[in-house]
mmCIF file with all atom_site columns, all heavy atoms in Angstrom:
data_model
loop_
_atom_site.group_PDB
_atom_site.id
_atom_site.type_symbol
_atom_site.label_atom_id
_atom_site.label_alt_id
_atom_site.label_comp_id
_atom_site.label_asym_id
_atom_site.label_entity_id
_atom_site.label_seq_id
_atom_site.pdbx_PDB_ins_code
_atom_site.Cartn_x
_atom_site.Cartn_y
_atom_site.Cartn_z
_atom_site.occupancy
_atom_site.B_iso_or_equiv
_atom_site.pdbx_formal_charge
_atom_site.auth_seq_id
_atom_site.auth_comp_id
_atom_site.auth_asym_id
_atom_site.auth_atom_id
_atom_site.pdbx_PDB_model_num
ATOM 1   N N   . GLN W 1 429 ? 15.332 -51.416 43.674 1.00 95.00 ? 429 GLN W N   1
ATOM 2   C CA  . GLN W 1 429 ? 16.386 -50.558 43.142 1.00 95.00 ? 429 GLN W CA  1
ATOM 3   C C   . GLN W 1 429 ? 16.658 -49.345 44.036 1.00 95.00 ? 429 GLN W C   1
ATOM 4   O O   . GLN W 1 429 ? 17.772 -48.866 44.103 1.00 95.00 ? 429 GLN W O   1
ATOM 5   C CB  . GLN W 1 429 ? 16.024 -50.086 41.737 1.00 95.00 ? 429 GLN W CB  1
ATOM 6   C CG  . GLN W 1 429 ? 16.063 -51.168 40.684 1.00 95.00 ? 429 GLN W CG  1
ATOM 7   C CD  . GLN W 1 429 ? 16.147 -50.595 39.279 1.00 95.00 ? 429 GLN W CD  1
ATOM 8   O OE1 . GLN W 1 429 ? 15.973 -49.396 39.065 1.00 95.00 ? 429 GLN W OE1 1
ATOM 9   N NE2 . GLN W 1 429 ? 16.405 -51.447 38.314 1.00 95.00 ? 429 GLN W NE2 1
ATOM 10  N N   . ARG W 1 430 ? 15.620 -48.802 44.676 1.00 94.00 ? 430 ARG W N   1
ATOM 11  C CA  . ARG W 1 430 ? 15.731 -47.664 45.586 1.00 94.00 ? 430 ARG W CA  1
ATOM 12  C C   . ARG W 1 430 ? 16.541 -46.511 44.987 1.00 94.00 ? 430 ARG W C   1
ATOM 13  O O   . ARG W 1 430 ? 17.527 -46.044 45.569 1.00 94.00 ? 430 ARG W O   1
ATOM 14  C CB  . ARG W 1 430 ? 16.368 -48.112 46.902 1.00 94.00 ? 430 ARG W CB  1
ATOM 15  C CG  . ARG W 1 430 ? 15.613 -49.214 47.616 1.00 94.00 ? 430 ARG W CG  1
ATOM 16  C CD  . ARG W 1 430 ? 16.391 -49.765 48.809 1.00 94.00 ? 430 ARG W CD  1
ATOM 17  N NE  . ARG W 1 430 ? 16.677 -48.746 49.793 1.00 94.00 ? 430 ARG W NE  1
ATOM 18  C CZ  . ARG W 1 430 ? 17.899 -48.323 50.103 1.00 94.00 ? 430 ARG W CZ  1
ATOM 19  N NH1 . ARG W 1 430 ? 18.961 -48.827 49.473 1.00 94.00 ? 430 ARG W NH1 1
ATOM 20  N NH2 . ARG W 1 430 ? 18.088 -47.400 51.019 1.00 94.00 ? 430 ARG W NH2 1
ATOM 21  N N   . PRO W 1 431 ? 16.179 -46.004 43.812 1.00 94.00 ? 431 PRO W N   1
ATOM 22  C CA  . PRO W 1 431 ? 17.010 -44.988 43.171 1.00 94.00 ? 431 PRO W CA  1
ATOM 23  C C   . PRO W 1 431 ? 17.145 -43.695 43.975 1.00 94.00 ? 431 PRO W C   1
ATOM 24  O O   . PRO W 1 431 ? 18.259 -43.155 44.093 1.00 94.00 ? 431 PRO W O   1
ATOM 25  C CB  . PRO W 1 431 ? 16.302 -44.736 41.836 1.00 94.00 ? 431 PRO W CB  1
ATOM 26  C CG  . PRO W 1 431 ? 14.905 -45.215 42.043 1.00 94.00 ? 431 PRO W CG  1
ATOM 27  C CD  . PRO W 1 431 ? 14.999 -46.357 43.004 1.00 94.00 ? 431 PRO W CD  1
ATOM 28  N N   . ALA W 1 432 ? 16.058 -43.190 44.545 1.00 92.00 ? 432 ALA W N   1
ATOM 29  C CA  . ALA W 1 432 ? 16.146 -41.952 45.326 1.00 92.00 ? 432 ALA W CA  1
ATOM 30  C C   . ALA W 1 432 ? 16.894 -42.191 46.634 1.00 92.00 ? 432 ALA W C   1
ATOM 31  O O   . ALA W 1 432 ? 17.761 -41.401 47.022 1.00 92.00 ? 432 ALA W O   1
ATOM 32  C CB  . ALA W 1 432 ? 14.749 -41.394 45.597 1.00 92.00 ? 432 ALA W CB  1
ATOM 33  N N   . ALA W 1 433 ? 16.545 -43.270 47.323 1.00 91.00 ? 433 ALA W N   1
ATOM 34  C CA  . ALA W 1 433 ? 17.192 -43.546 48.603 1.00 91.00 ? 433 ALA W CA  1
ATOM 35  C C   . ALA W 1 433 ? 18.695 -43.723 48.435 1.00 91.00 ? 433 ALA W C   1
ATOM 36  O O   . ALA W 1 433 ? 19.493 -43.192 49.217 1.00 91.00 ? 433 ALA W O   1
ATOM 37  C CB  . ALA W 1 433 ? 16.572 -44.792 49.230 1.00 91.00 ? 433 ALA W CB  1
ATOM 38  N N   . ARG W 1 434 ? 19.108 -44.465 47.406 1.00 93.00 ? 434 ARG W N   1
ATOM 39  C CA  . ARG W 1 434 ? 20.549 -44.674 47.188 1.00 93.00 ? 434 ARG W CA  1
ATOM 40  C C   . ARG W 1 434 ? 21.253 -43.370 46.839 1.00 93.00 ? 434 ARG W C   1
ATOM 41  O O   . ARG W 1 434 ? 22.406 -43.157 47.215 1.00 93.00 ? 434 ARG W O   1
ATOM 42  C CB  . ARG W 1 434 ? 20.760 -45.702 46.076 1.00 93.00 ? 434 ARG W CB  1
ATOM 43  C CG  . ARG W 1 434 ? 20.474 -47.130 46.531 1.00 93.00 ? 434 ARG W CG  1
ATOM 44  C CD  . ARG W 1 434 ? 20.927 -48.167 45.531 1.00 93.00 ? 434 ARG W CD  1
ATOM 45  N NE  . ARG W 1 434 ? 20.168 -48.108 44.288 1.00 93.00 ? 434 ARG W NE  1
ATOM 46  C CZ  . ARG W 1 434 ? 20.622 -47.623 43.145 1.00 93.00 ? 434 ARG W CZ  1
ATOM 47  N NH1 . ARG W 1 434 ? 21.860 -47.148 43.071 1.00 93.00 ? 434 ARG W NH1 1
ATOM 48  N NH2 . ARG W 1 434 ? 19.856 -47.615 42.068 1.00 93.00 ? 434 ARG W NH2 1
ATOM 49  N N   . TYR W 1 435 ? 20.570 -42.484 46.136 1.00 92.00 ? 435 TYR W N   1
ATOM 50  C CA  . TYR W 1 435 ? 21.170 -41.190 45.805 1.00 92.00 ? 435 TYR W CA  1
ATOM 51  C C   . TYR W 1 435 ? 21.472 -40.395 47.075 1.00 92.00 ? 435 TYR W C   1
ATOM 52  O O   . TYR W 1 435 ? 22.572 -39.852 47.239 1.00 92.00 ? 435 TYR W O   1
ATOM 53  C CB  . TYR W 1 435 ? 20.232 -40.398 44.893 1.00 92.00 ? 435 TYR W CB  1
ATOM 54  C CG  . TYR W 1 435 ? 20.724 -38.991 44.601 1.00 92.00 ? 435 TYR W CG  1
ATOM 55  C CD1 . TYR W 1 435 ? 21.695 -38.754 43.646 1.00 92.00 ? 435 TYR W CD1 1
ATOM 56  C CD2 . TYR W 1 435 ? 20.218 -37.913 45.312 1.00 92.00 ? 435 TYR W CD2 1
ATOM 57  C CE1 . TYR W 1 435 ? 22.149 -37.473 43.388 1.00 92.00 ? 435 TYR W CE1 1
ATOM 58  C CE2 . TYR W 1 435 ? 20.664 -36.626 45.057 1.00 92.00 ? 435 TYR W CE2 1
ATOM 59  C CZ  . TYR W 1 435 ? 21.629 -36.406 44.096 1.00 92.00 ? 435 TYR W CZ  1
ATOM 60  O OH  . TYR W 1 435 ? 22.083 -35.138 43.858 1.00 92.00 ? 435 TYR W OH  1
ATOM 61  N N   . PHE W 1 436 ? 20.517 -40.345 47.990 1.00 88.00 ? 436 PHE W N   1
ATOM 62  C CA  . PHE W 1 436 ? 20.696 -39.541 49.189 1.00 88.00 ? 436 PHE W CA  1
ATOM 63  C C   . PHE W 1 436 ? 21.611 -40.209 50.207 1.00 88.00 ? 436 PHE W C   1
ATOM 64  O O   . PHE W 1 436 ? 22.187 -39.526 51.053 1.00 88.00 ? 436 PHE W O   1
ATOM 65  C CB  . PHE W 1 436 ? 19.338 -39.214 49.817 1.00 88.00 ? 436 PHE W CB  1
ATOM 66  C CG  . PHE W 1 436 ? 18.554 -38.209 49.036 1.00 88.00 ? 436 PHE W CG  1
ATOM 67  C CD1 . PHE W 1 436 ? 17.487 -38.613 48.243 1.00 88.00 ? 436 PHE W CD1 1
ATOM 68  C CD2 . PHE W 1 436 ? 18.894 -36.864 49.054 1.00 88.00 ? 436 PHE W CD2 1
ATOM 69  C CE1 . PHE W 1 436 ? 16.775 -37.686 47.502 1.00 88.00 ? 436 PHE W CE1 1
ATOM 70  C CE2 . PHE W 1 436 ? 18.185 -35.936 48.313 1.00 88.00 ? 436 PHE W CE2 1
ATOM 71  C CZ  . PHE W 1 436 ? 17.121 -36.343 47.527 1.00 88.00 ? 436 PHE W CZ  1
ATOM 72  N N   . GLU W 1 437 ? 21.785 -41.514 50.121 1.00 89.00 ? 437 GLU W N   1
ATOM 73  C CA  . GLU W 1 437 ? 22.670 -42.210 51.057 1.00 89.00 ? 437 GLU W CA  1
ATOM 74  C C   . GLU W 1 437 ? 24.139 -41.835 50.861 1.00 89.00 ? 437 GLU W C   1
ATOM 75  O O   . GLU W 1 437 ? 24.955 -42.032 51.770 1.00 89.00 ? 437 GLU W O   1
ATOM 76  C CB  . GLU W 1 437 ? 22.507 -43.725 50.910 1.00 89.00 ? 437 GLU W CB  1
ATOM 77  C CG  . GLU W 1 437 ? 21.230 -44.262 51.548 1.00 89.00 ? 437 GLU W CG  1
ATOM 78  C CD  . GLU W 1 437 ? 20.965 -45.715 51.201 1.00 89.00 ? 437 GLU W CD  1
ATOM 79  O OE1 . GLU W 1 437 ? 21.769 -46.291 50.408 1.00 89.00 ? 437 GLU W OE1 1
ATOM 80  O OE2 . GLU W 1 437 ? 19.949 -46.270 51.667 1.00 89.00 ? 437 GLU W OE2 1
ATOM 81  N N   . GLN W 1 438 ? 24.472 -41.280 49.709 1.00 87.00 ? 438 GLN W N   1
ATOM 82  C CA  . GLN W 1 438 ? 25.868 -40.916 49.467 1.00 87.00 ? 438 GLN W CA  1
ATOM 83  C C   . GLN W 1 438 ? 26.276 -39.648 50.213 1.00 87.00 ? 438 GLN W C   1
ATOM 84  O O   . GLN W 1 438 ? 27.452 -39.308 50.274 1.00 87.00 ? 438 GLN W O   1
ATOM 85  C CB  . GLN W 1 438 ? 26.117 -40.727 47.965 1.00 87.00 ? 438 GLN W CB  1
ATOM 86  C CG  . GLN W 1 438 ? 25.381 -39.548 47.359 1.00 87.00 ? 438 GLN W CG  1
ATOM 87  C CD  . GLN W 1 438 ? 25.572 -39.451 45.860 1.00 87.00 ? 438 GLN W CD  1
ATOM 88  O OE1 . GLN W 1 438 ? 26.694 -39.264 45.390 1.00 87.00 ? 438 GLN W OE1 1
ATOM 89  N NE2 . GLN W 1 438 ? 24.493 -39.607 45.113 1.00 87.00 ? 438 GLN W NE2 1
ATOM 90  N N   . PHE W 1 439 ? 25.288 -38.947 50.797 1.00 78.00 ? 439 PHE W N   1
ATOM 91  C CA  . PHE W 1 439 ? 25.583 -37.724 51.529 1.00 78.00 ? 439 PHE W CA  1
ATOM 92  C C   . PHE W 1 439 ? 25.585 -38.003 53.024 1.00 78.00 ? 439 PHE W C   1
ATOM 93  O O   . PHE W 1 439 ? 24.780 -38.805 53.513 1.00 78.00 ? 439 PHE W O   1
ATOM 94  C CB  . PHE W 1 439 ? 24.553 -36.640 51.201 1.00 78.00 ? 439 PHE W CB  1
ATOM 95  C CG  . PHE W 1 439 ? 24.510 -36.309 49.736 1.00 78.00 ? 439 PHE W CG  1
ATOM 96  C CD1 . PHE W 1 439 ? 23.525 -36.854 48.929 1.00 78.00 ? 439 PHE W CD1 1
ATOM 97  C CD2 . PHE W 1 439 ? 25.458 -35.478 49.168 1.00 78.00 ? 439 PHE W CD2 1
ATOM 98  C CE1 . PHE W 1 439 ? 23.472 -36.566 47.582 1.00 78.00 ? 439 PHE W CE1 1
ATOM 99  C CE2 . PHE W 1 439 ? 25.411 -35.186 47.816 1.00 78.00 ? 439 PHE W CE2 1
ATOM 100 C CZ  . PHE W 1 439 ? 24.428 -35.728 47.017 1.00 78.00 ? 439 PHE W CZ  1
ATOM 101 N N   . PRO W 1 440 ? 26.463 -37.351 53.795 1.00 70.00 ? 440 PRO W N   1
ATOM 102 C CA  . PRO W 1 440 ? 26.524 -37.584 55.240 1.00 70.00 ? 440 PRO W CA  1
ATOM 103 C C   . PRO W 1 440 ? 25.204 -37.221 55.903 1.00 70.00 ? 440 PRO W C   1
ATOM 104 O O   . PRO W 1 440 ? 24.446 -36.394 55.396 1.00 70.00 ? 440 PRO W O   1
ATOM 105 C CB  . PRO W 1 440 ? 27.649 -36.645 55.704 1.00 70.00 ? 440 PRO W CB  1
ATOM 106 C CG  . PRO W 1 440 ? 28.425 -36.331 54.468 1.00 70.00 ? 440 PRO W CG  1
ATOM 107 C CD  . PRO W 1 440 ? 27.456 -36.387 53.337 1.00 70.00 ? 440 PRO W CD  1
ATOM 108 N N   . PRO W 1 441 ? 24.884 -37.817 57.064 1.00 62.00 ? 441 PRO W N   1
ATOM 109 C CA  . PRO W 1 441 ? 23.656 -37.481 57.790 1.00 62.00 ? 441 PRO W CA  1
ATOM 110 C C   . PRO W 1 441 ? 23.577 -35.987 58.073 1.00 62.00 ? 441 PRO W C   1
ATOM 111 O O   . PRO W 1 441 ? 24.564 -35.360 58.469 1.00 62.00 ? 441 PRO W O   1
ATOM 112 C CB  . PRO W 1 441 ? 23.779 -38.293 59.087 1.00 62.00 ? 441 PRO W CB  1
ATOM 113 C CG  . PRO W 1 441 ? 24.690 -39.418 58.743 1.00 62.00 ? 441 PRO W CG  1
ATOM 114 C CD  . PRO W 1 441 ? 25.658 -38.880 57.736 1.00 62.00 ? 441 PRO W CD  1
ATOM 115 N N   . GLY W 1 442 ? 22.396 -35.433 57.852 1.00 58.00 ? 442 GLY W N   1
ATOM 116 C CA  . GLY W 1 442 ? 22.202 -34.006 58.086 1.00 58.00 ? 442 GLY W CA  1
ATOM 117 C C   . GLY W 1 442 ? 22.736 -33.128 56.984 1.00 58.00 ? 442 GLY W C   1
ATOM 118 O O   . GLY W 1 442 ? 22.677 -31.895 57.087 1.00 58.00 ? 442 GLY W O   1
ATOM 119 N N   . ARG W 1 443 ? 23.281 -33.729 55.927 1.00 59.00 ? 443 ARG W N   1
ATOM 120 C CA  . ARG W 1 443 ? 23.847 -32.943 54.828 1.00 59.00 ? 443 ARG W CA  1
ATOM 121 C C   . ARG W 1 443 ? 23.080 -33.217 53.547 1.00 59.00 ? 443 ARG W C   1
ATOM 122 O O   . ARG W 1 443 ? 23.656 -33.416 52.483 1.00 59.00 ? 443 ARG W O   1
ATOM 123 C CB  . ARG W 1 443 ? 25.334 -33.288 54.637 1.00 59.00 ? 443 ARG W CB  1
ATOM 124 C CG  . ARG W 1 443 ? 26.208 -32.917 55.806 1.00 59.00 ? 443 ARG W CG  1
ATOM 125 C CD  . ARG W 1 443 ? 26.325 -31.415 55.971 1.00 59.00 ? 443 ARG W CD  1
ATOM 126 N NE  . ARG W 1 443 ? 26.880 -30.823 54.766 1.00 59.00 ? 443 ARG W NE  1
ATOM 127 C CZ  . ARG W 1 443 ? 28.204 -30.746 54.531 1.00 59.00 ? 443 ARG W CZ  1
ATOM 128 N NH1 . ARG W 1 443 ? 29.056 -31.221 55.417 1.00 59.00 ? 443 ARG W NH1 1
ATOM 129 N NH2 . ARG W 1 443 ? 28.642 -30.194 53.418 1.00 59.00 ? 443 ARG W NH2 1
ATOM 130 N N   . CYS W 1 444 ? 21.746 -33.227 53.643 1.00 57.00 ? 444 CYS W N   1
ATOM 131 C CA  . CYS W 1 444 ? 20.909 -33.413 52.460 1.00 57.00 ? 444 CYS W CA  1
ATOM 132 C C   . CYS W 1 444 ? 21.272 -32.352 51.433 1.00 57.00 ? 444 CYS W C   1
ATOM 133 O O   . CYS W 1 444 ? 21.392 -31.165 51.788 1.00 57.00 ? 444 CYS W O   1
ATOM 134 C CB  . CYS W 1 444 ? 19.437 -33.300 52.840 1.00 57.00 ? 444 CYS W CB  1
ATOM 135 S SG  . CYS W 1 444 ? 18.306 -33.497 51.465 1.00 57.00 ? 444 CYS W SG  1
ATOM 136 N N   . PRO W 1 445 ? 21.474 -32.722 50.181 1.00 57.00 ? 445 PRO W N   1
ATOM 137 C CA  . PRO W 1 445 ? 22.001 -31.793 49.185 1.00 57.00 ? 445 PRO W CA  1
ATOM 138 C C   . PRO W 1 445 ? 20.982 -30.708 48.791 1.00 57.00 ? 445 PRO W C   1
ATOM 139 O O   . PRO W 1 445 ? 20.293 -30.833 47.797 1.00 57.00 ? 445 PRO W O   1
ATOM 140 C CB  . PRO W 1 445 ? 22.324 -32.692 47.984 1.00 57.00 ? 445 PRO W CB  1
ATOM 141 C CG  . PRO W 1 445 ? 21.352 -33.813 48.121 1.00 57.00 ? 445 PRO W CG  1
ATOM 142 C CD  . PRO W 1 445 ? 21.184 -34.039 49.603 1.00 57.00 ? 445 PRO W CD  1
ATOM 143 N N   . VAL W 1 446 ? 20.926 -29.647 49.581 1.00 50.00 ? 446 VAL W N   1
ATOM 144 C CA  . VAL W 1 446 ? 19.992 -28.571 49.279 1.00 50.00 ? 446 VAL W CA  1
ATOM 145 C C   . VAL W 1 446 ? 20.239 -27.994 47.905 1.00 50.00 ? 446 VAL W C   1
ATOM 146 O O   . VAL W 1 446 ? 19.337 -27.644 47.166 1.00 50.00 ? 446 VAL W O   1
ATOM 147 C CB  . VAL W 1 446 ? 20.085 -27.462 50.347 1.00 50.00 ? 446 VAL W CB  1
ATOM 148 C CG1 . VAL W 1 446 ? 19.250 -26.258 49.967 1.00 50.00 ? 446 VAL W CG1 1
ATOM 149 C CG2 . VAL W 1 446 ? 19.648 -28.000 51.699 1.00 50.00 ? 446 VAL W CG2 1
ATOM 150 N N   . ALA W 1 447 ? 21.506 -27.919 47.513 1.00 38.00 ? 447 ALA W N   1
ATOM 151 C CA  . ALA W 1 447 ? 21.838 -27.401 46.196 1.00 38.00 ? 447 ALA W CA  1
ATOM 152 C C   . ALA W 1 447 ? 21.875 -28.486 45.151 1.00 38.00 ? 447 ALA W C   1
ATOM 153 O O   . ALA W 1 447 ? 22.217 -28.246 44.017 1.00 38.00 ? 447 ALA W O   1
ATOM 154 C CB  . ALA W 1 447 ? 23.179 -26.682 46.222 1.00 38.00 ? 447 ALA W CB  1
ATOM 155 N N   . HIS W 1 448 ? 21.537 -29.710 45.555 1.00 37.00 ? 448 HIS W N   1
ATOM 156 C CA  . HIS W 1 448 ? 21.471 -30.811 44.599 1.00 37.00 ? 448 HIS W CA  1
ATOM 157 C C   . HIS W 1 448 ? 20.018 -31.093 44.293 1.00 37.00 ? 448 HIS W C   1
ATOM 158 O O   . HIS W 1 448 ? 19.258 -30.217 44.004 1.00 37.00 ? 448 HIS W O   1
ATOM 159 C CB  . HIS W 1 448 ? 22.216 -32.039 45.136 1.00 37.00 ? 448 HIS W CB  1
ATOM 160 C CG  . HIS W 1 448 ? 23.702 -31.877 45.111 1.00 37.00 ? 448 HIS W CG  1
ATOM 161 N ND1 . HIS W 1 448 ? 24.312 -30.653 45.187 1.00 37.00 ? 448 HIS W ND1 1
ATOM 162 C CD2 . HIS W 1 448 ? 24.693 -32.788 45.027 1.00 37.00 ? 448 HIS W CD2 1
ATOM 163 C CE1 . HIS W 1 448 ? 25.630 -30.807 45.148 1.00 37.00 ? 448 HIS W CE1 1
ATOM 164 N NE2 . HIS W 1 448 ? 25.884 -32.098 45.058 1.00 37.00 ? 448 HIS W NE2 1
ATOM 165 N N   . SER W 1 449 ? 19.585 -32.341 44.385 1.00 35.00 ? 449 SER W N   1
ATOM 166 C CA  . SER W 1 449 ? 18.260 -32.630 43.864 1.00 35.00 ? 449 SER W CA  1
ATOM 167 C C   . SER W 1 449 ? 17.422 -33.506 44.738 1.00 35.00 ? 449 SER W C   1
ATOM 168 O O   . SER W 1 449 ? 17.894 -34.174 45.641 1.00 35.00 ? 449 SER W O   1
ATOM 169 C CB  . SER W 1 449 ? 18.381 -33.271 42.487 1.00 35.00 ? 449 SER W CB  1
ATOM 170 O OG  . SER W 1 449 ? 19.260 -34.352 42.546 1.00 35.00 ? 449 SER W OG  1
ATOM 171 N N   . GLY W 1 450 ? 16.125 -33.519 44.423 1.00 33.00 ? 450 GLY W N   1
ATOM 172 C CA  . GLY W 1 450 ? 15.157 -34.293 45.172 1.00 33.00 ? 450 GLY W CA  1
ATOM 173 C C   . GLY W 1 450 ? 14.058 -34.769 44.277 1.00 33.00 ? 450 GLY W C   1
ATOM 174 O O   . GLY W 1 450 ? 14.258 -34.904 43.082 1.00 33.00 ? 450 GLY W O   1
ATOM 175 N N   . GLY W 1 451 ? 12.846 -35.009 44.783 1.00 33.00 ? 451 GLY W N   1
ATOM 176 C CA  . GLY W 1 451 ? 11.808 -35.605 43.963 1.00 33.00 ? 451 GLY W CA  1
ATOM 177 C C   . GLY W 1 451 ? 10.436 -35.012 44.168 1.00 33.00 ? 451 GLY W C   1
ATOM 178 O O   . GLY W 1 451 ? 10.165 -34.370 45.155 1.00 33.00 ? 451 GLY W O   1
ATOM 179 N N   . ASP W 1 452 ? 9.581  -35.277 43.212 1.00 35.00 ? 452 ASP W N   1
ATOM 180 C CA  . ASP W 1 452 ? 8.227  -34.744 43.203 1.00 35.00 ? 452 ASP W CA  1
ATOM 181 C C   . ASP W 1 452 ? 7.312  -35.739 42.508 1.00 35.00 ? 452 ASP W C   1
ATOM 182 O O   . ASP W 1 452 ? 7.609  -36.152 41.404 1.00 35.00 ? 452 ASP W O   1
ATOM 183 C CB  . ASP W 1 452 ? 8.219  -33.404 42.460 1.00 35.00 ? 452 ASP W CB  1
ATOM 184 C CG  . ASP W 1 452 ? 6.830  -32.830 42.322 1.00 35.00 ? 452 ASP W CG  1
ATOM 185 O OD1 . ASP W 1 452 ? 5.900  -33.345 42.933 1.00 35.00 ? 452 ASP W OD1 1
ATOM 186 O OD2 . ASP W 1 452 ? 6.713  -31.867 41.559 1.00 35.00 ? 452 ASP W OD2 1
#
Side-chain angles (χ1 to χ4, degrees):
Q429 290 199 349
R430 302 172 60 245
R434 285 191 294 106
Y435 175 80
F436 288 103
E437 284 171 357
Q438 66 184 297
F439 301 100
R443 295 292 301 275
C444 180
V446 173
H448 287 27
S449 52
D452 176 9

